[in-house]
Amino acid sequence: MVKKAKLPPICTYCGKFARPMTRDDPFPKALWAGKSADRVIRVPSCGPCNRRSNESILKHFFVVLDSRFYPEIIRHFKDPDGRKDFQDFSSAWKEKNGKWYLYADAEVTAKFVKMFMGIRRHLLREKWYYVPAEGFTILKIDPVDDLHEGRVLPLRVGGRNPSRTFEPDINAALKEPMRHKFRDFRYDWFADDDDGMVFGLKYEREEFAHLGNRLFLICAVPKSVQGKVAASET
Ligand SMILES: [Zn+2]
């Protein structure tokens, strides 16, 4: 008998064999504020994909969602090394009718896609197969009265970002609490049919709830039969 050589797992992010195999945090460590007893979630990643992620961009975005990030970020922006980051951060803001808004631009969107790639792998476990980043469509959800509006990311900073509405059953599903939790993140999946799967991600803290500062994203991933790659190990 010939012993079958054990293949390394597929990288969650690029779909190639993860050589060297590393473990990546779908919820980046940069976003772990405060203490938590939650079990650490990790997914297989190749070394380059794991190292490539510049999570400071995401962290700066989270400043409107969690004040625990303030001190470190303000210190960073004041530092000469943080000047470029501060310019990038400033360019994602726009004033509209006397209020300032922070937009999830292309750079931040790419980070959210990466998060959803990791969350999807974690939730699907051995049923997981690789779908490239281009297959992930993220919508920002805003509750409006009793319904929801969705806007496809990335948003145009200060531009017109047309919204779409949802069928009653989707509106109802969006109101359901998400079943999974990691620190201040909630996540879940809503649909799994021939069109694909829909995942949800929320980050909402009491301190900002009254300002309407909340992260509520859903992500649609098509069923890709073509180029389906099975996870050899998770
Ligand atoms: Zn990779």
Side-chain angles (χ1 to χ4, degrees), residues 25-229:
D25 303 292
F27 300 100
K29 270 212 180 91
L31 302 180
W32 296 6
K35 286 197 167 75
S36 163
D38 288 350
R39 202 169 68 89
V40 172
I41 295 167
R42 293 227 165 96
V43 293
S45 167
C46 70
C49 284
N50 203 336
R51 282 192 297 274
R52 209 172 37 223
S53 41
N54 171 14
E55 264 116 27
S56 63
I57 294 165
L58 253 190
K59 189 169 187 161
H60 302 156
F61 187 85
F62 270 71
V63 86
V64 295
L65 301 169
D66 192 330
S67 65
R68 289 173 294 181
F69 296 125
Y70 282 0
E72 195 193 322
I73 291 173
I74 288 168
R75 215 177 309 129
H76 174 68
F77 284 162
K78 281 184 177 166
D79 190 275
D81 286 342
R83 203 166 291 160
K84 169 78 171 65
D85 282 344
F86 179 66
Q87 282 166 2
D88 290 346
F89 180 71
S90 308
S91 66
W93 286 88
K94 200 88 193 175
E95 192 195 337
K96 257 190 174 175
N97 308 323
K99 275 187 181 170
W100 283 88
Y101 293 92
L102 176 62
Y103 290 76
D105 60 9
E107 266 194 286
V108 170
T109 300
K111 303 297 165 198
F112 284 132
V113 167
K114 187 171 183 272
M115 279 178 82
F116 273 113
M117 290 177 104
I119 290 168
R120 176 175 169 273
R121 177 146 201 183
H122 172 66
L123 285 173
L124 291 183
R125 297 184 188 269
E126 65 282 354
K127 279 191 257 162
W128 176 86
Y129 53 90
Y130 179 70
V131 173
E134 302 80 68
F136 287 66
T137 305
I138 300 181
L139 275 90
K140 177 184 183 287
I141 303 298
D142 292 299
V144 179
D145 300 324
D146 209 28
L147 301 170
H148 299 87
E149 283 180 350
R151 287 177 176 81
V152 178
L153 298 193
L155 297 176
R156 272 178 294 186
V157 179
R160 227 179 71 75
N161 291 287
S163 66
R164 52 159 292 182
T165 52
F166 300 100
E167 301 291 320
D169 56 330
I170 307 228
N171 262 309
L174 290 172
K175 274 189 224 164
E176 294 287 318
M178 296 196 187
R179 290 169 293 178
H180 304 279
K181 162 190 181 290
F182 180 74
R183 293 175 166 259
D184 287 283
F185 290 97
R186 301 267 162 189
Y187 61 102
D188 208 345
W189 78 61
F190 298 103
D192 184 8
D193 55 30
D194 290 344
D195 293 335
M197 291 191 77
V198 176
F199 298 87
L201 177 67
K202 266 188 181 179
Y203 196 96
E204 191 171 7
R205 285 173 56 79
E206 198 74 28
E207 57 177 332
F208 286 131
H210 65 284
L211 292 172
N213 287 17
R214 63 172 75 83
L215 185 77
F216 186 0
L217 303 175
I218 60 170
C219 178
V221 186
K223 280 243 154 77
S224 129
V225 182
Q226 242 185 0
K228 199 164 168 171
V229 186

